[in-house]
Amino acid sequence: RFMGAEQPNTVELVNQGDVTHALMRAFATQFFDEMKDATKAIVKKSMRDKVAILEAGFAKKKVGDVVGVYSDLGGHALLPYAIEYVSPDVAKIMIYDSNWPGQERFITVDMAADTWTFPFGGPDPANDPTAWTGGTKDFDIAPYESRIAGTCPFCKDDSVARQTLLVIRSVSADWSIETSAGTLTPGSNDVGEATVRPMRSSAPTATSAPFEYLVTVPAGEK
C-alpha cells in the first residue's frame, strides 16, 4: 500500500473485512514454498551481501522485504526502509519496529565481523545494554517478490505434505527433537532441513515465562 501510494493511509484502516483477510493472507504467505526457498537461500549469505540486497531494493524505491532476527532471547520480524553507513564496514539498517511505533529504530551490522546488534527492549536504541546480537545465520530476509509470487501449496492434484510445522511452548530451553539429520534444539536450530525459530512478543517477559519456538521438520520424520 505504501509503494502504491494507496489511500487511506494504512494507519487509518480498520481491522475488519478485506483488511483482516489481507492480514491473514500475509501471515500465511510466509509458509509458501517460494518464500521459504528464497529465505533459506539468503540466510546462507554474508551480512555484507544481505545489506547489499536491501540496498538494491531501496535504490528502486521499494520496501516490503521483512528482516527476521533471532537470539537466545527470542525472534522478531522487522520492516527495513533505509541504510545509513557509519563506516565502509558498519551499516545501520533503519527499520520499522511494531513494538516501538513512531520511533526511529535500527539494526547495526558489522560487515567485516559478519555480526549484527539489535536493541529489542531498550528505549534508547543507541544505548541498550541488553541488545540482541548474532551472526549471519541468525539474520534472514523474506523477499517481498517471493511473497507475491507464492502459490497455494495444497491446490494441486498431486500435492503432498512437504513438512510438519509445530509450535513448542516451554519455560525451559532443555528440549530436543531427534531427526534423521541429527538432534534439533534451541541451541542447534538448523539440522538438515529441520529448523527452530524462537518467537518473542512485545510484552515484558519474566525469566520464568514460557517461550514459543516455531519448529519445521521434513514430512515423514518420526
Side-chain angles (χ1 to χ4, degrees):
R1 298 188 81 261
F2 172 78
M3 288 186 289
E6 296 182 27
Q7 293 295 322
N9 292 330
T10 301
V11 70
E12 300 171 11
L13 297 177
V14 179
N15 187 1
Q16 63 184 25
D18 290 344
V19 174
T20 304
H21 182 267
L23 292 171
M24 294 169 67
R25 187 187 187 283
F27 176 83
T29 57
Q30 66 186 306
F31 303 111
F32 283 5
D33 290 346
E34 292 86 351
M35 174 65 80
K36 297 193 68 174
D37 290 344
T39 301
K40 286 178 64 176
I42 292 174
V43 80
K44 298 175 183 178
K45 296 180 180 294
S46 68
M47 290 306 304
R48 192 179 299 277
D49 287 341
K50 292 175 184 178
V51 169
I53 288 171
L54 294 175
E55 190 171 42
F58 300 150
K60 299 176 183 177
K61 300 186 182 300
K62 296 169 65 177
V63 296
D65 294 349
V66 175
V67 163
V69 290
Y70 308 93
S71 76
D72 293 340
L73 299 176
H76 195 38
L78 305 156
L79 180 66
Y81 62 84
I83 294 176
E84 296 180 1
Y85 284 92
V86 178
S87 72
D89 288 328
V90 178
K92 288 169 61 175
I93 302 175
M94 310 306 295
I95 50 96
Y96 171 72
D97 185 347
S98 56
N99 291 346
W100 301 89
Q103 297 191 31
E104 187 174 84
R105 311 290 289 187
F106 54 83
I107 305 168
T108 302
V109 177
D110 186 330
M111 293 176 285
D114 234 14
T115 59
W116 55 267
T117 303
F118 168 60
F120 175 83
D124 178 3
N127 298 282
D128 182 1
T130 62
W132 293 6
T133 60
T136 187
K137 70 180 181 65
D138 307 309
F139 184 109
D140 64 26
I141 300 174
Y144 177 76
E145 288 81 2
S146 297
R147 185 181 297 274
I148 297 302
T151 54
C152 173
F154 47 81
C155 296
K156 304 173 184 176
D157 293 337
D158 59 346
S159 61
V160 296
R162 179 176 178 181
Q163 63 187 10
T164 299
L165 174 69
L166 62 141
V167 174
I168 294 178
R169 184 173 174 84
S170 174
V171 172
S172 171
D174 186 19
W175 58 265
S176 63
I177 297 175
E178 296 294 334
T179 76
S180 58
T183 303
L184 195 65
T185 69
S188 180
N189 54 14
D190 287 284
V191 177
E193 294 297 313
T195 64
V196 174
R197 289 292 180 261
M199 297 183 288
R200 180 72 175 267
S201 70
S202 61
T205 305
T207 56
S208 60
F211 276 82
E212 292 185 345
Y213 303 87
L214 187 65
V215 182
T216 60
V217 294
E221 287 284 358
K222 302 295 186 181

